[in-house]
């Protein structure tokens, strides 16, 4: 083997090694092992690929004595596709107080992004859903949650729902807290999904619903 061929082989091996390193470093993993980054944004949860939802737990109104709602978050796996399904039974009080939800602890930095996107489809009784965020490790009461509602009208078509990060507002038990600090986009330590009764709203919700989700991402 002459020297020119050896040099060409060395350059080929070096190119492959550099390409593998670049490809590996383009993925950003959260401590939950869910997050990846590509040209389409930062995929926080790509439910089409996850092996389980073990890091997600229920957070419904049964944490309070009068609560009687229920949420279940499961992967649906078929031979043709995979996605997550958020099942809810919403039994609010007469004034609309009540919620059914699920949550997971996170370690996200959204400082370079403008909005969250949820790609999914609603079926059943309810159209109003919330994404609920917490920041700075303040994951429990009496600290506020940062919430944004999106309307997922039940139907046959999947939709892409845009949630601008500037529109996440601080709440405590459904009541807006206008004097609370703004959301720290650089340190999101919990993310949740919720269906709500509407205690302080001009419309109410109740009953059985489902929301199928392919992914949640930041863009």
């Amino acid at each position: 083997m002459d020297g020119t061929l050896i040099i060409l082989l060395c350059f080929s091996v070096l190119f492959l090694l550099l390409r593998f390193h670049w490809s590996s470093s383009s993925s950003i993993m959260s401590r939950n092992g869910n997050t990846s980054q590509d040209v389409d944004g930062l995929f926080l949860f790509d439910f089409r690929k996850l092996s389980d939802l073990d890091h997600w737990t229920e957070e419904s109104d049964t944490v309070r004595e009068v609560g009687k709602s229920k949420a279940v978050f499961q992967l649906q796996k078929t031979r043709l596709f995979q996605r997550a399904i958020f099942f809810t039974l919403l039994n609010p009080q007469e004034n609309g107080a009540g919620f059914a939800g699920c949550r997971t602890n996170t370690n996200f930095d959204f400082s370079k992004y403008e909005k969250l996107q949820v790609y999914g489809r609603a079926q059943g009784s309810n159209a109003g859903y919330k994404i609920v965020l917490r920041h700075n490790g303040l994951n429990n009461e009496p600290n506020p949650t940062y919430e944004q509602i999106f309307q997922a009208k039940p139907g046959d078509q999947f939709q892409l729902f845009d949630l601008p990060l500037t529109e996440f507002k601080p709440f405590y038990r459904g009541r807006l807290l206008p004097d609370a600090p703004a959301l720290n986009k650089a340190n999101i330590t919990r993310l949740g999904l919720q269906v709500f009764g509407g205690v302080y709203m001009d419309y109410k919700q109740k009953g059985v619903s489902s929301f199928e989700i392919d992914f949640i991402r930041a863009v």
Side-chain angles (χ1 to χ4, degrees):
M1 184 178 296
D2 59 33
T4 301
L5 183 56
I6 292 174
I7 292 172
L8 289 174
L9 287 173
C10 289
F11 273 112
S12 297
V13 171
L14 179 62
F15 172 78
L16 289 172
L17 289 172
L18 288 172
R19 184 176 180 181
F20 175 79
H21 174 74
W22 177 84
S23 198
S24 298
S25 62
S26 66
S27 292
I28 302 175
M29 302 302 295
S30 77
R31 66 186 180 192
N32 287 344
N34 299 323
T35 311
S36 62
Q37 186 174 21
D38 59 23
V39 294
D40 295 320
L42 179 70
F43 278 80
L44 313 179
F45 303 101
D46 191 342
F47 299 112
R48 301 166 298 183
K49 300 177 181 179
L50 295 182
S51 59
D52 59 66
L53 299 178
D54 291 347
H55 293 283
W56 291 78
T57 58
E58 183 184 3
E59 185 180 33
S60 297
D61 59 22
T62 47
V63 297
R64 301 164 194 167
E65 184 177 358
V66 296
K68 49 186 178 179
S69 301
K70 180 67 179 177
V72 177
F73 199 42
Q74 295 285 340
L75 286 178
Q76 178 188 21
K77 298 182 180 182
T78 78
R79 295 188 179 185
L80 298 178
F81 65 86
Q82 175 180 308
R83 61 177 58 107
I85 307 181
F86 178 50
F87 296 102
T88 54
L89 170 61
L90 185 58
N91 283 321
Q93 306 300 308
E94 290 185 4
N95 64 355
F99 63 94
C102 58
R103 67 186 186 187
T104 183
N105 292 336
T106 63
N107 184 19
F108 294 144
D109 181 355
F110 296 155
S111 56
K112 296 180 180 179
Y113 299 95
E114 297 180 356
K115 60 187 176 181
L116 300 187
Q117 290 185 326
V118 182
Y119 186 68
R121 175 177 65 182
Q123 299 189 58
S125 302
N126 301 308
Y129 288 84
K130 290 181 182 179
I131 293 292
V132 181
L133 304 178
R134 288 185 182 268
H135 65 183
N136 299 335
L138 303 174
N139 288 352
N140 299 297
E141 293 191 354
N143 300 297
T145 55
Y146 292 80
E147 305 176 3
Q148 186 172 166
I149 292 173
F150 63 98
Q151 295 293 327
K153 184 178 180 180
D156 294 332
Q157 301 299 317
F158 278 74
Q159 302 175 64
L160 189 63
F161 302 96
D162 288 333
L163 291 85
L165 289 166
T166 55
E167 296 301 314
F168 280 88
K169 305 300 182 183
F171 287 83
Y172 183 71
R173 296 191 176 186
R175 189 187 296 273
L176 181 66
L177 299 178
D179 297 327
L183 177 69
N184 180 8
K185 298 195 304 179
N187 189 21
I188 303 301
T189 52
R190 180 172 287 174
L191 183 147
L193 182 66
Q194 187 183 108
V195 64
F196 52 89
V199 60
Y200 297 115
M201 304 178 66
D202 57 4
Y203 70 96
K204 310 299 180 186
Q205 300 191 124
K206 64 179 181 179
V208 177
S209 302
S210 68
F211 187 62
E212 302 164 76
I213 314 174
D214 275 8
F215 60 78
I216 303 173
R217 69 185 177 188
V219 295

